[in-house]
Amino acid sequence: GYDVARHPNEVKRRIGYMAQKFSLYGDLSVRENLRFFSSAYGLRGKEQQARMDWALQEFELGPYAAATSRDLPLGYKQRLALAAALMHAPDILFLDEPTSGVDPLARREFWHRISALSELGVTVLVTTHFMEEAEYCDRLVMMAEVDILAQGTPADMKARFRSATTPDPTLEDAFIGLIKTHEGATQ
């Protein structure tokens, strides 16, 4: 409901963003990164401290609070990046390949967190190349380069490619089918 050009601060207060590549300050400790990002989102005083305490506890970062963030294991870097994006409790969260490079256990934990945020009413937009991760989403937009190939629920996507030879298609089957259809249409 806000024009980004005319009301950038209002927009900034409502959105959070986590980049695929670790983009926090590697020379700062976990606590310093949380303080910096909460300040950038306008948090001060007791509210800032409460959100920092929340992040350290919620993301199990307490034991690493004084650690330099560049030295964290990748899974903890991802936790810290998500915590930083959530410091101001945004309404909308953009996650760019949030589980890229993390182990399967950390990936599952991340998706539990994303689902919990969604249940709390946060709109979460995720980019992913992992079709098994896309299954967690309520709605999908499948793209190839800049073209939108299809949109709908995971069940909708799979149903499009159900056939006698593929009675129970996966999202990967659907994506491959969409790519082949797209390539045929553009040649």
Side-chain angles (χ1 to χ4, degrees):
Y2 290 95
D3 182 302
V4 176
R6 293 188 330 189
H7 304 102
N9 290 334
E10 289 300 321
V11 172
K12 186 170 72 168
R13 281 189 207 111
R14 287 176 170 71
I15 63 171
Y17 173 71
M18 180 182 153
Q20 175 182 0
K21 186 173 184 275
F22 184 69
S23 59
L24 303 184
Y25 294 99
D27 292 336
L28 297 181
S29 71
V30 167
R31 185 179 308 281
E32 290 167 335
N33 266 293
L34 292 174
R35 181 171 287 112
F36 174 81
F37 282 94
S38 60
S39 292
Y41 287 119
L43 301 178
R44 304 281 185 270
K46 290 180 182 179
E47 182 184 19
Q48 180 183 40
Q49 189 59 53
R51 288 302 286 178
M52 289 174 57
D53 292 344
W54 166 83
L56 291 169
Q57 180 180 350
E58 179 68 23
F59 292 91
E60 300 170 7
L61 293 166
Y64 299 97
T68 305
S69 63
R70 91 159 47 84
D71 298 330
L72 294 173
L74 181 58
Y76 282 90
K77 285 181 180 179
Q78 294 295 82
R79 288 180 188 193
L80 175 57
L82 182 58
L86 292 170
M87 290 305 293
H88 61 304
D91 298 323
I92 302 171
L93 181 62
F94 294 89
L95 303 173
D96 182 15
E97 300 277 348
T99 62
S100 182
V102 300
D103 64 76
L105 211 57
R107 180 175 287 151
R108 183 183 318 147
E109 176 193 327
F110 226 84
W111 277 99
H112 285 301
R113 290 182 188 281
I114 292 168
S115 294
L117 287 166
S118 179
E119 288 173 14
L120 291 172
V122 177
T123 300
V124 184
L125 290 109
V126 180
T127 62
T128 184
H129 287 94
F130 300 112
M131 292 297 113
E132 67 274 9
E133 287 189 354
E135 289 275 1
Y136 292 117
C137 298
D138 297 326
R139 301 212 24 98
L140 304 173
V141 175
M142 291 199 181
M143 299 177 68
E145 297 177 10
V146 297
D147 296 323
I148 294 176
L149 306 180
Q151 50 188 313
T153 67
D156 293 340
M157 299 292 181
K158 293 186 282 190
R160 290 175 132 183
F161 291 92
R162 188 169 290 123
S163 67
T165 56
T166 313
D168 192 23
T170 64
L171 272 181
E172 188 169 316
D173 295 330
F175 185 69
I176 290 168
L178 288 166
I179 292 289
K180 287 180 178 177
T181 301
H182 178 71
E183 287 174 351
T186 57
Q187 290 181 3

